Amino acid sequence: MFGPAPLQRLSLPEEFTLLSYGENGRVPNSSQTAAGCAAAELGELALRRRLLIRPRKTRKLGLEIYQQRGEIELRPSTTDAPNMPNTPGTGLTWADDLLSALRTRTTTLTPRPLTATRWLRERGREALALHTGALIERGVLRHRPGTLLTRTRHHPDPALRAALLNGVRAVRAEHVPLDEHMLFLCDLLDGAGLTKDFGLTLTRPQRLERARGIGAAGALPETLRDTSTVLGFSLPGREGRTITIGD
């Protein structure tokens, strides 16, 4: 049996990981899911005002065109986060460790920037293993070991998974406002093709309209819209093809 109440608070990578596991206990594509989990980690740090993804954009006929994947830009821990506690940590051990690793990478690579896609390739497997393990410990994924004839499975708590999906559906139907957290979650699910599985697909033009602040996303900060858009479009396709911005 699953232990926790179905509406417990999960981080963005935990939500993405939980929704990635189907009722059969498997993910559609392990490489894509791993990259998505790593992207969700960056998204959580962006929501906490600890980093941004800076895309390269140009304007054509009055519209912003995303030309290539963005660069990771770390932010100060307190000056850009007035609503967060005035402490050096995020309150999440994995997030603090990730920030430390990113600081090391951005320092050692200077002046060569660290792009989001490069980081997702490096971090993906570790991120997926980390958050899958955390969900197992919290009791919202049930681990079923593999055998000689079967693969390992991870079955999500059906009540919590349904609650998360209902939240996404409510935002898509505009029954509730689109906030920053749901912007990132929806962009990641779109990028991984999971919303198609759930019957909630947005077209590419619709996703770019959201990035440009058209419609419900108009009230959200442009820097967060850019970050969320780049992360969503940076995920590899299920056949291993990476979707690039502006191709």
Side-chain angles (χ1 to χ4, degrees):
M1 292 181 62
F2 292 104
L7 295 180
Q8 64 171 299
R9 177 71 172 89
L10 301 179
S11 66
L12 188 63
E14 288 173 335
E15 289 180 343
F16 178 84
T17 301
L18 187 70
L19 290 176
S20 294
Y21 282 105
E23 295 179 357
N24 63 358
R26 299 175 62 182
V27 298
N29 180 281
S30 59
S31 297
Q32 183 190 59
T33 304
C37 189
E41 288 184 329
L42 297 181
E44 182 72 36
L45 292 178
L47 290 170
R48 293 170 181 268
R49 305 305 196 266
R50 299 306 173 89
L51 63 75
L52 295 172
I53 309 294
R54 295 290 188 186
R56 293 184 182 272
K57 298 188 295 184
T58 59
R59 295 190 69 86
K60 185 176 182 180
L61 300 177
L63 295 177
E64 290 179 334
I65 306 299
Y66 289 76
Q67 290 187 312
Q68 67 181 60
R69 304 176 186 88
E71 301 168 2
I72 297 175
E73 178 182 306
L74 298 183
R75 309 295 290 170
S77 59
T78 57
T79 56
D80 286 326
N83 296 324
M84 298 298 292
N86 189 25
T87 62
T90 63
L92 297 172
T93 300
W94 68 261
D96 291 339
D97 291 343
L98 183 61
L99 278 172
S100 178
L102 286 167
R103 289 191 188 99
T104 299
R105 286 301 311 279
T106 54
T107 299
T108 57
L109 285 177
T110 302
R112 186 183 182 188
L114 176 61
T115 63
T117 49
R118 184 188 308 166
W119 179 255
L120 300 190
R121 288 194 300 268
E122 296 178 8
R123 173 69 179 176
R125 296 291 181 180
E126 182 180 354
L128 182 57
L130 172 68
H131 296 289
T132 296
L135 290 173
I136 292 172
E137 289 182 2
R138 296 180 68 173
V140 295
L141 273 182
R142 184 176 69 246
H143 174 70
R144 194 182 79 182
T147 67
L148 290 175
L149 300 177
T150 62
R151 295 183 178 180
T152 298
R153 302 293 178 99
H154 298 93
H155 296 276
D157 180 310
L160 180 53
R161 190 171 187 272
L164 289 174
L165 281 176
N166 286 339
V168 173
R169 290 191 176 101
V171 168
R172 286 293 173 85
E174 299 185 352
H175 294 157
V176 296
L178 175 69
D179 62 14
E180 295 175 358
H181 181 93
M182 290 302 294
L183 170 70
F184 276 81
L185 181 59
C186 288
D187 278 344
L188 289 167
L189 295 177
D190 281 325
L194 289 171
T195 44
K196 181 178 180 180
D197 297 339
F198 303 145
L200 298 169
T201 305
L202 286 184
T203 65
R204 183 183 178 86
Q206 287 174 321
R207 292 169 67 186
L208 288 173
E209 284 184 358
R210 186 166 63 193
R212 295 169 180 137
I214 299 174
L220 303 180
E222 180 181 5
T223 53
L224 285 183
R225 297 198 314 268
D226 284 345
T227 299
S228 183
T229 297
V230 171
L231 291 176
F233 276 115
S234 294
L235 301 190
R238 291 189 182 178
E239 293 73 35
R241 182 178 59 87
T242 298
I243 301 174
T244 58
I245 297 173
D247 59 349

